Amino acid sequence: MIDIKSLYFDELEKIITDNGFPKFRAKQIWDWLQKGVTSFDEMRNIPKNLIDFLAGSCYISVANIEKKLVSRYDKTVKYLFCLNDGEYIESVVMSYHHGYSICVSTQVGCKMGCTFCATGKSGFSRSLTASEILAQIEAAQNDLNIRISNIVLMGMGEPLDNFDNVIRFLKLVSDESGLNIGMRHITLSTCGIVPKIYELAEYKFALTLSVSLHAPDNATRSKTMPVNNRYPIEQLIKACRDYFDKTGRRISFEYAMIDGVNDTDECAEKLAMLLKGLNCHVNLIPVNTVSGTGYQKSKTERQQAFIKILEKSGTPATVRRTLGSDINASCGQLRRKTVDNT
Ligand code: SAH
Ligand code: SF4
């Protein structure tokens, strides 16, 4: 069966015409798909023989709402979606003064095994198709009756470990006749799969690359992020410099502050040295406590001391506000509760 919502328009058109249907039908079908229909029967201006052909050869990816949690503090909404094959994924919708932003998943689980991460703890099931990433946005928009303006690929999974589907998603979601969310409104977060950063740079997308750094040296980073054994920090930073040179886009570094692990003054000094001369911004996030990890967030005084050192050295950094703290808004936590019951 063909995953119809993962097709580019010209691919859809080819299938329609190759099977003897008039070309203009492709545009009609495309428009229905953009509206978020979940069955071919809803395509009211399509003749019965074409509906039968579509139903017999294609399927529409859906993200059905299994659970929905709304934060009492800041209206952040977290969804647990069920996919066509019964797998669960999470998405979070955040409301900012400039509009709505959604954090989408790119895989069911993750292979990377970062020790602080709820997704990493539940193992890996499979990668998502482009249509399944799109379906999260459409389902949230339809449920909340809003238009989403920003996307962050920071949910479950490692986007660069699902490279081809993520590229397809990026092209589809930014298409003017699709959801039309421009690359400047998209952030892709990676744990640092170095060869794929080089590959992504070649596309010259205007998106923001966010690199989950979380430590300033190999010894500290390898303790929490196994990917660092494969692609050590020097290689990662070199790839980031290349990314900036090729795309002109400032890199954003994520740094989850963990009490007693990566939050010393020495860590801040090393971090400042590491990022010297690189056009970047550091987002400091007090780590979210995930059951079974034993990690605690850094104390407020530590966060402030850390940021002061960065500022003094001219490294732009901010401590990020955490949204949805009452609804386990950091991705992976809700699925883990449902599937693993932890
Ligand atoms: N796999 C990608 C994107 C998904 S994770 C990546 O790792 O970048 C999205 C972000 O959440 C990453 O920056 C990740 O390091 C961070 N994260 C995961 N678990 C966290 C936790 N318990 N507290 C704070 N940030 C966490
Ligand atoms: Fe995977 Fe990102 Fe979690 Fe690491 S932080 S396990 S790469 S989802």
Side-chain angles (χ1 to χ4, degrees), residues 260-276:
V261 174
N262 62 357
D263 63 350
T264 59
D265 284 355
E266 195 197 351
C267 284
E269 280 151 15
K270 278 192 193 164
L271 183 63
M273 282 296 286
L274 184 72
L275 302 181
K276 226 184 179 95

Side-chain angles (χ1 to χ4, degrees), residues 116-117 153-155 157-159 189-191 212 214 254 256 285 287-288 290 330:
F116 46 78
C117 174
L153 282 77
M154 280 196 186
E158 168 49 48
S189 179
T190 178
C191 63
S212 301
H214 305 320
E254 303 295 308
I285 324 131
V287 78
N288 269 300
V290 170
S330 89

Side-chain angles (χ1 to χ4, degrees), residues 145-163:
N145 204 13
I146 55 166
R147 177 159 155 70
I148 283 166
S149 51
N150 287 73
I151 305 168
V152 294
L153 282 77
M154 280 196 186
M156 297 165 57
E158 168 49 48
L160 298 187
D161 184 43
N162 183 17
F163 194 83

Side-chain angles (χ1 to χ4, degrees), residues 12-24:
L12 175 65
E13 201 172 59
K14 183 164 188 313
I15 289 172
I16 297 302
T17 51
D18 282 358
N19 286 280
F21 297 102
K23 202 169 160 176
F24 75 94

Side-chain angles (χ1 to χ4, degrees), residues 304-315:
Q304 281 159 358
F306 199 93
I307 201 163
K308 238 190 207 128
I309 294 173
L310 293 182
E311 276 166 0
K312 234 174 152 175
S313 68
T315 315

Side-chain angles (χ1 to χ4, degrees), residues 198-333:
Y198 286 106
E199 217 175 304
L200 182 66
E202 296 302 326
Y203 286 88
K204 298 194 167 52
F205 290 146
L207 55 74
T208 300
L209 182 67
S210 171
V211 175
S212 301
L213 195 56
H214 305 320
D217 59 67
N218 286 321
T220 314
R221 193 164 192 262
S222 295
K223 268 191 221 151
T224 54
M225 301 183 71
V227 68
N228 195 69
N229 292 312
R230 185 96 190 271
Y231 306 113
I233 269 186
E234 308 75 50
Q235 288 183 27
L236 176 57
I237 299 300
K238 190 162 171 273
C240 291
R241 290 186 196 279
D242 173 86
Y243 190 89
F244 177 78
D245 291 344
K246 291 230 169 73
T247 63
R249 301 286 300 168
R250 186 175 77 162
I251 309 270
S252 159
F253 287 101
E254 303 295 308
Y255 198 104
M257 297 190 68
I258 313 175
D259 185 33
V261 174
N262 62 357
D263 63 350
T264 59
D265 284 355
E266 195 197 351
C267 284
E269 280 151 15
K270 278 192 193 164
L271 183 63
M273 282 296 286
L274 184 72
L275 302 181
K276 226 184 179 95
L278 179 59
N279 194 333
C280 67
H281 185 92
V282 179
N283 284 316
L284 297 169
I285 324 131
V287 78
N288 269 300
T289 316
V290 170
S291 67
T293 61
Y295 296 136
Q296 300 296 329
K297 60 181 61 150
S298 303
K299 312 253 176 329
T300 314
E301 309 86 76
R302 247 314 71 221
Q303 295 173 27
Q304 281 159 358
F306 199 93
I307 201 163
K308 238 190 207 128
I309 294 173
L310 293 182
E311 276 166 0
K312 234 174 152 175
S313 68
T315 315
T318 38
V319 178
R320 206 164 57 194
R321 193 160 65 103
T322 40
L323 292 175
S325 52
D326 57 331
I327 54 167
N328 289 323
S330 89
C331 270
Q333 296 184 9

